[in-house]
Amino acid sequence: MVKHWRVNREEKYEIVEKWFLKDLEMIDGKEADTDNPYFDMHFHKVYNLEAYSCASKYTFARTISKLNAMYLKKDLKIVNFDETYLNDDLIWSSSNRDCLVLMRICFYAFNLVCLSLCPLS
């Protein structure tokens, strides 16, 4: 766990606590349906943590999952996370169609740019 603070224009980081991956029992994202950076890590005791953002929380969970699969291959529980965003290969099959909406917005924006560049006769 790293503590971050700013002194004037200088950013400082301090390692507050370290754990072994083999001792991690579960990562609890608390609420899969809301955009929040809070999660719990279950070791011999439960640690309540806050990530920089919701995206960094998911990146952290994906990284821990990949490290576990690569080195330990133990049954690590990751609960209360949206499964779509935990697995890199599932990102295009989002259940709430976020990617399709984003693609449609990009399509309309591209069309507007093309139309704005067409010369008027």
Side-chain angles (χ1 to χ4, degrees):
M1 181 166 47
V2 177
K3 181 179 178 182
H4 169 257
W5 69 94
R6 210 174 265 179
V7 178
N8 296 330
R9 291 187 171 190
E10 192 174 328
E11 296 198 30
K12 303 221 179 220
Y13 298 91
E14 177 185 346
I15 297 175
V16 179
E17 194 151 355
K18 298 177 187 180
W19 303 283
F20 289 109
L21 180 58
K22 67 179 183 167
D23 296 333
L24 180 62
E25 298 166 4
M26 180 174 72
I27 301 176
D28 182 0
K30 295 194 175 186
E31 299 173 23
D33 296 335
T34 60
D35 189 20
N36 72 45
Y38 304 102
F39 64 100
D40 293 338
M41 291 179 63
H42 295 249
F43 291 94
H44 60 282
K45 100 179 210 190
V46 177
Y47 293 92
N48 301 320
L49 301 171
E50 178 182 2
Y52 181 73
S53 66
C54 187
S56 61
K57 174 176 90 169
Y58 273 87
T59 301
F60 177 75
R62 277 193 301 273
T63 303
I64 292 295
S65 177
K66 286 179 184 178
L67 287 171
N68 178 58
M70 189 180 304
Y71 296 109
L72 296 179
K73 297 176 179 59
K74 74 173 194 169
D75 184 29
L76 176 63
K77 290 184 257 178
I78 300 179
V79 297
N80 294 321
F81 281 87
D82 187 343
E83 193 69 30
T84 303
Y85 300 108
L86 271 184
N87 298 325
D88 292 333
D89 54 335
L90 294 178
I91 196 75
W92 297 106
S93 63
S94 174
S95 59
N96 57 7
R97 309 279 189 240
D98 289 343
C99 293
L100 293 176
V101 171
L102 183 60
M103 286 173 32
R104 182 173 286 170
I105 291 170
C106 289
F107 176 73
Y108 289 136
F110 179 73
N111 283 342
L112 287 174
V113 169
C114 286
L115 288 173
S116 67
L117 294 176
C118 291
L120 296 174
S121 40

